Amino acid sequence: MPAFERHVFVCHNARAAGAPRPSCTADGTSALHTRLKQLTNEAGLGAKVRINKSGCLDQCEHGPTVVVYPDAVWYGNVQAEDAEAIVAEHLVGGRPVERLRIAETCLNAASCPHRGSL
Amino acid sequence: MPAFERHVFVCHNARAAGAPRPSCTADGTSALHTRLKQLTNEAGLGAKVRINKSGCLDQCEHGPTVVVYPDAVWYGNVQAEDAEAIVAEHLVGGRPVERLRIAETCLNAASCPHRGSL
């Protein structure tokens, strides 16, 4: 098999309490990750799509954050219950879940309504 | 700024001693990651290219493993001293470093000369 059809990175970053930027997980574990992995396997995509843990994806104010490559589709504020839509619509159906996407004006923005002005 | 021009994931996985598959790092730290980050910043690409920590990329027998998206270029057995070539040739120059690429026949292969037969 060649490269993964899709490679999904789920931020697992957990900062110490009081850190200036928020964290995507409280303790480095992610029910979202577990659910994405389970549903991907159930959909028969286990060998083609990898659900991967990642360190900080640098979109902290929009977390929990997920990025799907090679599409380069970014999702923000993703909860475990959103896993079904991501797997069914995007990973199986090929259509990104628009309601979960981080706005273009927020992605990698030094300032935005969520991040504030730096 | 929109999505990263390139997003580089460096496997930081560290298994317990005696695990059946090898690990990309001994202790979850990576001099390769540090060097890639330093050189990317020095090349003025700090805002366009993210050097990211990742969990297991599932190419353990070819590690330390790096994958560059959206190109989906996979590098194997990457040492800290390879960071210069990756940054200069690929991240700056746009040409993957062929000598570091994981062979197509090895990528995601259930068995290969490195992984053996499963």
Side-chain angles (χ1 to χ4, degrees):
Chain A
M1 204 188 99
F4 298 119
E5 189 176 284
R6 286 199 175 84
H7 202 161
V8 180
F9 292 90
V10 182
C11 182
H12 279 61
N13 202 34
R15 292 192 169 86
R21 297 187 77 186
S23 299
C24 282
T25 73
D27 59 1
T29 67
S30 166
L32 166 63
H33 181 270
T34 304
R35 186 77 176 130
L36 282 169
K37 201 148 189 147
Q38 177 192 11
L39 292 171
T40 299
N41 285 333
E42 287 178 11
L45 290 175
K48 293 183 177 176
V49 173
R50 183 162 180 82
I51 309 297
N52 220 106
K53 294 180 184 181
S54 86
C56 178
L57 294 166
D58 203 25
Q59 316 299 322
C60 315
E61 291 74 12
H62 307 93
T65 307
V66 170
V67 61
V68 181
Y69 283 109
D71 320 41
V73 167
W74 288 81
Y75 294 126
N77 189 23
V78 189
Q79 306 301 314
E81 51 266 32
D82 295 317
E84 283 193 37
I86 291 174
V87 173
E89 297 175 30
H90 191 170
L91 304 183
V92 175
R95 297 177 308 278
V97 185
E98 295 300 331
R99 71 176 172 83
L100 294 174
R101 292 181 83 157
I102 298 176
E104 279 291 314
T105 48
C106 290
L107 194 63
N108 292 319
S111 69
C112 77
H114 310 92
R115 188 164 184 181
S117 297
L118 297 180
Chain B
M1 205 187 98
F4 298 119
E5 189 176 284
R6 286 199 176 83
H7 201 161
V8 180
F9 292 89
V10 182
C11 182
H12 279 62
N13 202 34
R15 291 190 169 87
R21 297 187 77 185
S23 300
C24 282
T25 74
D27 58 2
T29 66
S30 166
L32 166 63
H33 181 270
T34 304
R35 186 77 175 130
L36 282 169
K37 200 149 187 144
Q38 176 192 11
L39 292 171
T40 300
N41 285 333
E42 287 178 11
L45 289 175
K48 292 183 178 176
V49 174
R50 182 161 181 84
I51 309 297
N52 221 107
K53 295 180 185 180
S54 86
C56 177
L57 295 166
D58 203 25
Q59 316 300 322
C60 316
E61 291 75 12
H62 307 93
T65 308
V66 171
V67 60
V68 181
Y69 283 109
D71 320 40
V73 166
W74 287 81
Y75 293 126
N77 189 23
V78 189
Q79 307 301 314
E81 50 267 33
D82 295 317
E84 282 192 38
I86 291 173
V87 173
E89 296 174 30
H90 191 169
L91 304 183
V92 175
R95 297 177 308 279
V97 185
E98 295 300 332
R99 72 176 171 82
L100 295 174
R101 292 180 84 156
I102 298 176
E104 279 291 315
T105 48
C106 291
L107 194 62
N108 292 319
S111 68
C112 77
H114 310 92
R115 188 166 183 181
S117 297
L118 297 181

